Amino acid sequence: MMSQGFDLNGNYYSYVNNNTVPLVFIHGVGLDHKMWKPQIDSLKNYSTLTYDLLGHGKTDLTLNEITLDDFSKQLRSILKFLKIDKINLIGFSLGSLIAINFASKFQNVLERLTLIGTTYKRTDDQRSKVLERFEQAKLNKPISKQAMKRWFSDEYLKSNPKIYDQFMKILNKKPEDHLNFLKAYKLFANHKDNIEMIKNIKTKTLVMTGANDPGSTVTMSKSLSNDLLNSDFIEISNGKHLCSIECSDDVTMNIINFIKNK
């Protein structure tokens, strides 16, 4: 059974209930719940929940500043509205940082945690590059084509022009949406890891990243996996940042194997 719409706090969601522990997907900054379409299409026998983060897609954002705690409260609100007690949580990029924050607060809700394309222990140079992109975005300088280069291989974009057009439309935002995007991007760009908090997460975790991801590197993901108490790491061959789309079969198979492997 599928339901979609808004919870009591105006958060947009899409929920398919197949009487299994739901797989809950958190998208990245500047995107929306539709980025998970390849996974949702492949997981017809599973319960799945996707939603638009605050200030993204169909979910409004009225706060002037946004924190990871705010995003965690948002997810908790949706789960309570849908009366969901246990989940398998999957986050991508900013969504991974939210998933980590959520896991630190609500471990009793989680069966499994999957983190895809997560920044971790950025070097000064890596941090300065992200902050530079944020400054460009603040000045309304186009960063969409740069993002596409980081997210997908050239070969994939040439072979999938519809994907290119789809993501360019998502990235080129209306003025009011751009302001909300900047609030989330500021949080992402300035994020500093709480390593002690991460080391206290006991939930069984899978960390994945694309072999060719320039921003959320293999080194970062291995380090994150090592610092988590109960974690495995998988490198997605030929993937860049949005390996969940370009290498969707591999990513989805790894998620399924992970949640099945009790």
Side-chain angles (χ1 to χ4, degrees):
M1 184 178 71
M2 180 175 181
S3 63
Q4 54 188 356
F6 298 88
D7 75 354
L8 295 175
N9 292 314
N11 300 304
Y12 181 82
Y13 71 88
S14 179
Y15 178 43
V16 179
N17 184 1
N18 282 320
N19 297 313
T20 64
V21 175
L23 284 82
V24 179
F25 295 86
I26 313 179
H27 66 77
V29 65
L31 302 175
D32 61 29
H33 75 283
K34 294 190 292 292
M35 74 155 278
W36 298 109
K37 187 178 186 301
Q39 281 67 48
I40 303 306
D41 288 348
S42 297
L43 294 165
K44 299 291 188 186
N45 296 324
Y46 293 84
S47 299
T48 56
L49 170 63
T50 57
Y51 66 100
D52 290 340
L53 290 172
L54 295 166
H56 292 71
K58 297 177 182 178
T59 302
D60 289 335
L61 173 59
T62 54
L63 300 169
N64 290 324
E65 295 272 339
I66 189 79
T67 67
L68 291 177
D69 286 347
D70 293 321
F71 284 121
S72 286
K73 287 175 189 172
Q74 179 196 15
L75 176 54
R76 195 76 184 106
S77 163
I78 296 170
L79 297 180
K80 285 184 176 179
F81 177 76
L82 294 170
K83 297 180 170 58
I84 296 171
D85 298 322
K86 283 282 183 183
I87 62 172
N88 294 295
L89 187 57
I90 300 104
F92 163 74
S93 197
L94 173 63
S96 287
L97 301 182
I98 297 166
I100 290 168
N101 181 275
F102 187 90
S104 74
K105 299 174 184 300
F106 305 108
Q107 294 194 58
N108 60 316
V109 176
L110 299 185
E111 284 210 350
R112 296 288 168 107
L113 175 65
T114 300
L115 306 171
I116 305 171
T118 316
T119 62
Y120 190 58
K121 295 181 180 176
R122 288 173 176 145
T123 64
D124 290 342
D125 182 55
Q126 287 166 336
R127 183 176 299 281
S128 68
K129 285 178 180 175
V130 179
L131 289 169
E132 184 181 323
R133 291 197 295 270
F134 171 63
E135 292 300 323
Q136 287 180 318
K138 277 204 303 186
L139 296 170
N140 280 320
K141 291 184 178 178
I143 60 170
S144 305
K145 289 186 178 178
Q146 292 178 39
M148 296 295 276
K149 285 274 190 185
R150 294 193 310 276
W151 292 355
F152 299 104
S153 69
D154 292 340
E155 295 77 15
Y156 180 78
L157 290 177
K158 284 175 189 172
S159 303
N160 296 273
K162 287 184 179 177
I163 292 287
Y164 181 86
D165 292 342
Q166 175 189 338
F167 275 85
M168 287 299 283
K169 283 178 185 173
I170 292 171
L171 288 166
N172 293 319
K173 300 182 183 304
K174 297 173 186 174
E176 63 272 23
D177 294 332
H178 186 68
L179 288 175
N180 281 332
F181 161 71
L182 287 176
K183 293 173 191 176
Y185 201 5
K186 179 181 179 182
L187 172 66
F188 177 75
N190 288 282
H191 175 73
K192 293 183 179 175
D193 305 295
N194 185 334
I195 296 170
E196 288 309 307
M197 179 191 80
I198 284 167
K199 288 181 176 180
N200 285 323
I201 294 173
K202 300 179 179 67
T203 307
K204 178 65 178 170
T205 305
L206 173 64
V207 179
M208 283 192 281
T209 202
N212 302 316
D213 188 334
S216 305
T217 64
V218 169
T219 299
M220 286 181 177
S221 287
K222 284 182 176 178
S223 178
L224 174 59
S225 186
N226 286 338
D227 282 349
L228 287 159
L229 283 173
N230 192 6
S231 176
D232 296 322
F233 168 70
I234 293 178
E235 181 177 325
I236 304 298
S237 300
N238 304 315
K240 294 190 86 170
H241 195 43
L242 263 170
C243 57
S244 61
I245 293 177
E246 182 165 356
C247 310
S248 61
D249 289 347
D250 284 352
V251 169
T252 305
M253 178 191 68
N254 285 321
I255 292 171
I256 291 171
N257 289 342
F258 177 57
I259 63 172
K260 275 184 172 180
N261 182 16
K262 301 298 184 186

